[in-house]
Amino acid sequence: MIYFLHGDNDYLISQRTKELRQAFAQEHSPGAITTIDGTEVAPADLASQLTALSLFDPYRLVIVSAVTAQAGNWTMLETNLAHIPEQTTVILTDIKALSKVRNLTITRTMKELGRLGATVEKFDLAKSSYQLRPWLEAELKRHRLSVERGVTDKLLELTAGEENQQARLKLELDKLALLSGELTVQLVEQYVQPSPQTNAFAILEAGLAGDQAKVAQLLDRLIMAGEDSNRFLGLLASQALALAGVLTGAKVKLSPYQLNQTRQLAERLGDRQLPRRLGEVVEKLAQLDGKIKQSAPDEAWLYIRSTLSNI
């Protein structure tokens, strides 16, 4: 049996690989499992590993990670897949960030996988909280966590904007599962560090609303977490520009998450002078960027505090 697991969601691909590996180990011998790093193995060696027969175990499992990291390996598979012994199960995984193969789905190797009846599974990143909510609720039950109302929303809020929000949520759930008692919104806020994008939105909103105490509190949390001042300033400027674009009707390139958050922020503030104020904010952030580039690391956050307290 041949499996090819690909897509944007590396976390789900690794989870599926783990499931298949555990199932094989339960039915056969764990010692009959071979793992191969596709970024390092040469095409000839990979072909040899896939088509080899074991003298000790009639059944083998070969897992090849990042199989498209070298174009030569992917091309080699076209002529060698058919020679894999029936007793050998093969799991090929594609790590998109490392892939050197263009137009993957129309390559000859992909067509050969189809001809041989291989199981091809695609795992995409969840693009919205609507897609993630059912999975998150199922994971909370799987971890046997008793949760109060609002916990799911808070977890989605704090991790929003991450490149792979699903993977981040899984890490946080594993951590929260170690706590005893009911999982509350307060505990989630205490133990789950907001994503940089979430922090930038919250601080921009607090600053525009004149809530200096909240700005100071959120900045303290960022500094204690070791956030990079330059990266934070870049995020803050991008959020301000996005908000200004939405308010003025300009065409801005935003992800669904950014667009939704920006619209909600604009509605909550509801200030007719907001477009003008945002223009001033962007100008102040540009001046702040110049100061930070010429300052020592320990001075950067002082400049940021001073600017955000006067927007």
Side-chain angles (χ1 to χ4, degrees), residues 61 125 239 250-251 262 269 280 300-301:
L61 171 62
L125 288 172
Q239 308 306 351
K251 290 184 178 181
T262 301
L269 293 172
E280 296 173 353
W301 286 108

Side-chain angles (χ1 to χ4, degrees), residues 70-108:
Q70 297 185 66
N73 283 337
W74 186 249
T75 302
M76 174 278 300
L77 288 174
E78 179 195 350
T79 55
N80 284 272
L81 288 171
H83 301 294
I84 296 173
E86 288 186 13
Q87 295 89 346
T88 299
T89 298
V90 174
I91 302 173
L92 307 170
T93 71
D94 171 45
I95 300 177
K96 195 168 185 178
L98 301 176
S99 181
K100 297 295 188 296
V101 178
R102 294 185 178 182
N103 301 318
L104 179 68
T105 58
I106 61 173
T107 58
R108 291 181 178 179

Side-chain angles (χ1 to χ4, degrees), residues 48-59:
S48 177
Q49 290 270 22
L50 292 174
T51 58
L53 291 171
S54 173
L55 297 175
F56 307 101
D57 295 293
Y59 294 94

